């Protein structure tokens, strides 16, 4: 069952119960108030008749010592005749409960006589064929006689009013329930509109439309829920985009890896087959063997780089506080005697890093700068402190990197100029390895480049605590 129908159903149930109890209470309250008024009037009338009877008895000529039965009947008849407009019924009984006078229609039993005494007026509500009556009883003492005066007052109108009240209230209740059902249907539809919009949004997203968003139509809790849902959908769409991008990167990685394997393997197999199946002179044999050796070394370098990337993602990096001057001395010795002109500009300072990994990063950056530069080109290596830590920069004046390619150069096997890269034994893995190592150190590559003017790649190693000589951090990569 839909939530709006549940809300409507329970609202109608609550309304019906509330109207039922309130109507029953209201009609009965009016009925009991009217009945109490009629009973009070009946008791007052009984008191008045008792007083009138005693007064009439005292005015009777004293022929006898006690009041005679015929005199009682005469007085009672006069009292009844004087109250025709009030629908009055009278009955008078003697000391032995014998009826001395009774109005026509007074058919009640004598139970009330047993309850009446000198100080208490008794009454009861009785139902007879003609309707409902209030019966009252009281003791009358006059001229040495104890008589019982009973009256009956017709109160059928009160009961008829109660029945009419219930009938009217039932009709009013039914009309209110019908009107309430229509109104609550509109209200429940309006209140549950955000839920329907959310349901529609979830179905659209389940069908693959991750860009669809639920419309926010209110600012209450459901409106906030819609807002949070849209935020969740944004995060979900972003994560799915990242997953799809990651899947695409992996597919590109596999395709590039297969291609990078195929090219040197084709050359190796071709030249090996030439050596195996043909008798070559010494020069051609040396050339073929040299091709096999060169391509084999390229495969070896590519395998080692891949292994470095895999290991880097899982190893523990031990950060040490070292001198920047030590790193630059190592680089000078490493690249001494190369064809490029290296210029070092640095200020000594403390560097927090895993020494071997940072050396690997700088060597890869300098090696890429050499490959991007012409023979004898200038390459500048700079080091200086900043507020964030110690910064390294490697700058060349070579071919440069297109702006649209700068985001992709850190991906494995990505090469801007593949022919140029392969001619210099490149496999497109150097910057990918650098990115993984720097992520372990809480840093990243920052690339600034212009086509034909050169490239500057830098990174900043953040400072760490001074509390120990060594600090070990678990590194898991991306």
């Amino acid at each position: 069952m839909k939530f709006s129908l549940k809300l409507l159903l329970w609202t109608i149930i609550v309304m019906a119960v509330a109207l039922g109890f309130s109507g029953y209470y209201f009609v009965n309250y009016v009925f009991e108030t009217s009945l109490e008024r009629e009973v009070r009037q009946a008791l007052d009338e009984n008191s008045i008749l008792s007083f009138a009877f005693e007064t009439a008895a005292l005015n009777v000529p004293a022929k006898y010592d006690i009041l005679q039965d015929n005199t009682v009947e005469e007085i009672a008849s006069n009292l009844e005749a004087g109250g025709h407009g009030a629908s009055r019924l009278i009955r008078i009984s003697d000391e032995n409960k014998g009826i001395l006078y009774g109005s026509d229609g007074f058919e009640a039993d004598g139970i009330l006589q047993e309850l009446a005494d000198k100080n208490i007026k008794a009454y009861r509500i009785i139902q007879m064929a003609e309707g409902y009556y209030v019966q009252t009883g009281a003791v009358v003492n006059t001229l040495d006689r104890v008589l019982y005066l009973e009256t009956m007052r017709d109160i059928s109108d009160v009961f008829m009013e109660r029945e009419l009240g219930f009938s009217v209230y039932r009709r009013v209740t039914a009309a209110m329930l019908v009107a309430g059902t229509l109104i609550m249907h509109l209200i429940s539809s309006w209140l549950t509109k955000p839920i329907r919009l959310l349901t529609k949004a979830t179905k659209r997203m389940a069908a693959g439309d991750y860009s669809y968003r639920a419309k926010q139509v209110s600012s209450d809790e459901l409106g906030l829920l819609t807002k949070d849902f849209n935020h969740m959908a944004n995060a979900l769409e972003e994560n799915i985009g990242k997953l799809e991008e990651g899947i695409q990167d992996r597919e590109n990685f596999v395709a590039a890896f297969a291609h990078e394997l195929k090219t040197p393997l084709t050359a190796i197999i071709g030249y090996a087959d030439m050596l195996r199946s043909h008798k070559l002179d010494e020069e051609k044999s040396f050339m073929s063997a040299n091709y096999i050796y060169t391509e084999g070394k390229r495969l070896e370098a590519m395998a080692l780089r891949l292994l470095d990337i895999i290991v880097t993602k899982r190893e523990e990096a031990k950060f040490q506080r070292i001198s920047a001057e030590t790193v630059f001395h190592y680089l000078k010795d490493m690249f001494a005697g190369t064809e490029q002109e290296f210029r070092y500009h640095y200020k000594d300072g403390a560097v927090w890093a895993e020494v071997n990994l940072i050396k690997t990063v700088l060597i890869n950056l300098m090696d890429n700068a050499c490959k991007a530069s012409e023979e004898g080109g200038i390459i500048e290596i700079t080091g200086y402190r900043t507020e964030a830590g110690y910064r390294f920069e490697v700058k060349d004046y070579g071919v440069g990197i297109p702006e649209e390619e700068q985001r992709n150069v850190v991906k494995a096997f990505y090469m801007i100029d593949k022919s140029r890269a392969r001619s210099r034994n490149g496999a497109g893995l150097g910057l990918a390895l650098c990115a993984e190592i720097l992520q372990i150190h809480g840093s990243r590559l920052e690339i600034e480049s212009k086509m034909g003017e050169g490239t500057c790649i830098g990174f900043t190693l953040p400072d760490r605590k001074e509390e120990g000589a060594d600090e070990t951090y678990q590194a898991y990569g991306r």
Side-chain angles (χ1 to χ4, degrees):
M1 182 182 292
K2 291 184 178 180
F3 178 74
S4 58
L5 293 180
K6 289 182 180 180
L7 180 63
L8 176 62
L9 178 62
W10 280 107
T11 302
I12 297 305
I13 291 174
V14 171
M15 285 180 59
V17 173
L19 289 173
F21 276 106
S22 61
Y24 178 81
Y25 173 80
F26 176 74
V27 173
N28 270 285
Y29 175 78
V30 174
F31 167 73
E32 290 174 2
T33 302
S34 300
L35 184 62
E36 184 180 354
R37 183 182 65 250
E38 292 292 336
V39 169
R40 189 167 54 251
Q41 290 178 356
L43 291 174
D44 292 341
E45 184 180 42
N46 184 281
S47 298
I48 292 172
L49 291 176
S50 297
F51 178 76
F53 185 89
E54 291 176 356
T55 302
L58 292 175
N59 292 328
V60 174
K63 294 182 179 181
Y64 305 99
D65 294 333
I66 61 174
L67 189 64
Q68 301 296 311
D69 291 345
N70 58 350
T71 304
V72 171
E73 293 178 9
E74 182 180 354
I75 295 173
S77 177
N78 292 332
L79 291 176
E80 181 184 7
H84 281 310
S87 301
R88 180 186 302 162
L89 299 177
I90 298 176
R91 184 170 69 182
I92 297 179
S93 305
D94 58 15
E95 296 85 345
N96 298 320
K97 310 299 188 295
I99 298 175
L100 298 178
Y101 179 84
S103 302
D104 293 338
F106 200 119
E107 300 175 356
D109 54 31
I111 294 178
L112 209 60
Q113 296 175 358
E114 305 293 335
L115 301 176
D117 58 27
K118 294 181 180 180
N119 299 318
I120 299 177
K121 289 183 174 63
Y123 77 91
R124 65 173 179 168
I125 307 298
I126 60 175
Q127 180 181 11
M128 295 192 297
E130 296 82 2
Y132 292 88
Y133 295 85
V134 54
Q135 179 186 359
T136 63
V139 175
V140 179
N141 293 306
T142 180
L143 298 179
D144 295 331
R145 294 199 67 174
V146 178
L147 303 176
Y148 297 96
L149 173 63
E150 297 174 87
T151 63
M152 288 184 65
R153 182 181 179 87
D154 189 357
I155 56 172
S156 299
D157 291 344
V158 176
F159 284 86
M160 290 178 62
E161 289 176 359
R162 182 178 69 167
E163 292 299 324
L164 179 61
F166 279 127
S167 176
V168 171
Y169 195 80
R170 281 192 293 269
R171 291 194 295 270
V172 172
T173 300
M176 291 181 67
L177 287 176
V178 172
T181 300
L182 296 176
I183 295 173
M184 280 307 303
H185 177 69
L186 297 175
I187 294 176
S188 62
S189 298
W190 175 68
L191 289 176
T192 56
K193 185 177 180 180
I195 299 177
R196 293 197 302 274
L197 293 175
L198 282 174
T199 302
K200 181 180 178 181
T202 54
K203 290 181 178 179
R204 291 283 294 270
M205 294 186 68
D209 186 2
Y210 300 111
S211 62
Y212 187 81
R213 297 294 179 267
K215 183 179 179 182
Q216 186 175 352
V217 295
S218 64
S219 57
D220 56 9
E221 290 82 358
L222 290 177
L224 293 177
L225 177 62
T226 302
K227 185 177 180 181
D228 292 339
F229 175 86
N230 288 335
H231 287 164
M232 179 196 70
N234 291 335
L236 179 62
E237 184 180 16
E238 182 179 351
N239 290 334
I240 290 175
K242 290 180 179 179
L243 289 174
E244 291 176 347
E245 184 179 354
I247 293 172
Q248 186 62 42
D249 288 344
R250 290 179 184 179
E251 291 178 354
N252 294 338
F253 177 89
V254 172
F257 182 67
H259 183 76
E260 291 300 321
L261 285 178
K262 179 182 177 181
T263 301
L265 285 176
T266 300
I268 290 172
I269 292 171
Y271 284 107
D273 183 63
M274 186 182 297
L275 288 172
R276 180 176 64 88
S277 58
H278 296 81
K279 202 169 194 182
L280 303 176
D281 56 30
E282 184 177 353
E283 183 181 354
K284 289 184 178 180
S285 296
F286 176 80
M287 183 186 68
S288 299
N290 185 62
Y291 270 112
I292 293 173
Y293 176 79
T294 303
E295 294 300 310
K297 290 297 288 183
R298 197 160 78 84
L299 282 176
E300 180 187 33
M302 184 171 61
L304 290 174
R305 288 287 177 83
L306 281 174
L307 183 61
D308 285 342
I309 292 175
I310 294 171
V311 172
T312 300
K313 288 184 177 182
R314 292 168 173 80
E315 72 175 358
E316 287 188 353
K318 295 182 179 179
F319 298 113
Q320 296 177 327
R321 188 173 183 270
I322 60 174
S323 170
E325 187 175 11
T326 303
V327 177
F328 279 97
H329 282 321
Y330 172 81
L331 296 176
K332 289 178 181 179
D333 294 338
M334 189 73 179
F335 287 88
T338 57
E339 57 187 17
Q340 262 71 30
E341 179 183 350
F342 290 95
R343 295 179 181 178
Y344 299 91
H345 311 282
Y346 65 91
K347 292 183 179 180
D348 194 17
V351 177
W352 282 92
E354 210 290 348
V355 181
N356 292 328
L357 293 179
I358 290 303
K359 287 179 180 179
T360 299
V361 172
L362 291 170
I363 289 172
N364 275 283
L365 294 180
M366 294 172 68
D367 186 53
N368 283 346
C370 292
K371 293 174 182 177
S373 302
E374 298 298 333
E375 185 176 348
I378 298 173
I379 298 174
E380 297 179 353
I381 301 93
T382 307
Y384 56 92
R385 287 204 59 80
T386 66
E387 292 183 0
Y390 198 90
R391 183 169 181 81
F392 291 92
E393 292 180 356
V394 178
K395 184 176 181 180
D396 65 67
Y397 296 89
V399 294
I401 304 173
E403 185 176 354
E404 64 273 10
E405 303 287 353
Q406 292 178 14
R407 183 173 176 268
N408 298 320
V409 292
V410 294
K411 296 180 180 178
F413 291 113
Y414 191 87
M415 291 176 283
I416 300 172
D417 187 347
K418 295 188 178 181
S419 61
R420 181 185 179 94
R422 290 197 186 100
S423 67
R424 302 198 177 191
N425 291 326
L429 293 172
L431 290 182
L433 176 60
C434 293
E436 295 292 346
I437 293 174
L438 290 178
Q439 184 170 349
I440 294 173
H441 286 75
S443 183
R444 62 185 180 87
L445 290 175
E446 299 172 10
I447 302 174
E448 295 180 5
S449 182
K450 289 185 179 181
M451 292 299 295
E453 297 183 11
T455 301
C456 179
I457 301 180
F459 60 90
T460 301
L461 296 178
D463 293 330
R464 302 185 183 275
K465 293 192 252 182
E466 297 283 347
E467 294 180 1
D470 296 337
E471 292 188 6
T472 301
Y473 293 80
Q474 186 70 32
Y476 292 99
R478 276 180 281 188

